Amino acid sequence: MSLYPQDAENYFLKSLQLRQQLKESFGVKEKAQAIAQSLTSLGTLFVAIGDSEVNTATKGRSHYQKALEFLTQARKAYEEGFSEGHPKVGS
């Protein structure tokens, strides 16, 4: 079975939805960390798609924009899940 970018995107989106539905009893910080992991996976996927379409500038650019949006959301979730100085948050 081989996976394609669309398949990966669907699985990552499903993962994000499931993690967003976690109960608060799971732990607020832990939930934020789990959400951040899914958002990071989505961002990384769109960077890879953009890189693969580097010869098609307009297509690649839209994927990079999506990647930036997911990674920006991931950073915010990591800030909620960890302290600001934590390596996963960066500076």
Side-chain angles (χ1 to χ4, degrees):
M1 175 175 134
S2 90
L3 293 177
Y4 295 93
Q6 185 62 49
D7 294 327
E9 179 183 2
N10 289 336
Y11 287 121
F12 289 147
L13 286 171
K14 180 67 176 171
S15 169
L16 176 61
Q17 291 170 348
L18 291 171
R19 289 173 172 187
Q20 288 171 330
Q21 294 172 9
L22 288 170
K23 304 266 188 247
E24 294 303 320
S25 61
F26 181 74
V28 175
K29 288 187 177 285
E30 291 80 1
K31 180 178 177 177
Q33 292 168 15
I35 289 170
Q37 290 170 349
S38 290
L39 291 166
T40 299
S41 295
L42 283 159
T44 302
L45 172 66
F46 281 101
V47 167
I49 294 170
D51 287 350
S52 72
E53 296 178 348
V54 75
N55 293 330
T56 320
T58 56
K59 281 188 179 179
R61 190 172 304 142
S62 68
H63 288 106
Y64 290 137
Q65 183 60 41
K66 270 184 127 171
L68 180 60
E69 291 168 12
F70 281 121
L71 293 171
T72 299
Q73 291 176 45
R75 180 183 171 109
K76 290 177 185 173
Y78 275 128
E79 287 173 349
E80 290 177 30
F82 295 103
S83 63
E84 194 170 319
H86 192 279
K88 289 213 177 214
V89 175
S91 52

